[in-house]
Amino acid sequence: MTYNKNEHHGETKDEGAAIFDLTCTGDDGECFIIEVQRGKQGNFKQRAVFYTSRLITEQAPKGRRSEWAYDVKEVYLIALLEDFTLDAMGDDRYLHDICLSERETGKVFYDGLGYIFIELVNFVKTEDEAETDLERWLYVLKNMSSMDKVSIYTRKPIFEKLFNVAEYANLTKEETAVGSFNTVKN
């Protein structure tokens, strides 16, 4: 996975830029937008469609369109919604995996454009109930601020690294300066 720029300018100088939290490219050229929303956002679904559309249109080469032949790489948006839901979903599920489908039959029309919305407010599993890695990640992300130690379920290097980063991010300016001095000194 390759991490990409997060600011994407419009076609003209008058068209505003779209700034994503994180964009990545997978091994097969597929594009991922990762968004973290802490509070309710107006027109969030519309913004998600706009963001993915921006990554699709940026794939078109300037000129030589016939050689390209609309070989569009997949584009996916993963949105972690902390304190709100997508109201219109009408249920209490925490994971919504959305693609383009035929309305009447539900048959997938195109699976190269997808949206995953994770509503943390609807994730209510306890630490003991979290069975999959995704559920463990969601548990940690939702409860990290109240956790004082790494639990047995999350004793994996990736979770320990996450806790170390979070711990560092919560240090004061003075504590980070002392930590940097101690690291250099030792």
Side-chain angles (χ1 to χ4, degrees), residues 19-155:
I19 300 174
F20 311 139
D21 289 345
L22 176 66
T23 59
C24 309
T25 302
D27 291 340
D28 295 326
E30 66 274 35
C31 301
F32 298 91
I33 301 171
I34 314 295
E35 283 290 308
V36 177
Q37 293 300 314
R38 301 198 73 178
K40 184 136 179 93
Q41 301 287 314
N43 299 321
F44 183 72
K45 288 186 280 185
Q46 292 88 333
R47 195 172 86 193
V49 170
F50 177 77
Y51 281 0
T52 54
S53 299
R54 181 64 60 95
L55 286 188
I56 290 170
T57 58
E58 285 181 358
Q59 293 181 38
K62 306 298 181 226
R64 301 184 352 260
R65 292 249 170 129
S66 60
E67 293 174 28
W68 175 55
Y70 295 92
D71 182 21
V72 176
K73 300 295 182 193
E74 295 94 1
V75 174
Y76 303 101
L77 180 133
I78 301 167
L80 188 65
L81 312 176
E82 189 173 347
D83 290 325
F84 72 101
T85 65
L86 296 172
D87 302 323
M89 297 310 216
D91 58 34
D92 60 357
R93 292 178 302 132
Y94 62 87
L95 180 66
H96 303 280
D97 187 353
I98 299 164
C99 66
L100 292 177
S101 64
E102 205 280 326
R103 189 180 308 271
E104 189 173 317
T105 65
K107 184 177 178 182
V108 174
F109 167 74
Y110 178 67
D111 62 1
L113 175 63
Y115 303 87
I116 295 177
F117 297 106
I118 300 170
E119 299 172 340
L120 280 179
V121 71
N122 286 341
F123 183 79
V124 294
K125 291 190 176 194
T126 65
E127 185 175 19
D128 294 335
E129 294 171 329
E131 297 173 354
T132 66
D133 280 343
L134 174 62
E135 290 173 348
R136 287 184 194 97
W137 269 105
L138 297 180
Y139 177 82
V140 168
L141 290 172
K142 184 172 182 174
N143 297 289
M144 187 182 312
S145 64
S146 63
M147 297 172 81
D148 57 354
K149 63 181 176 155
V150 179
S151 72
I152 193 159
Y153 298 106
T154 55
R155 277 212 182 111

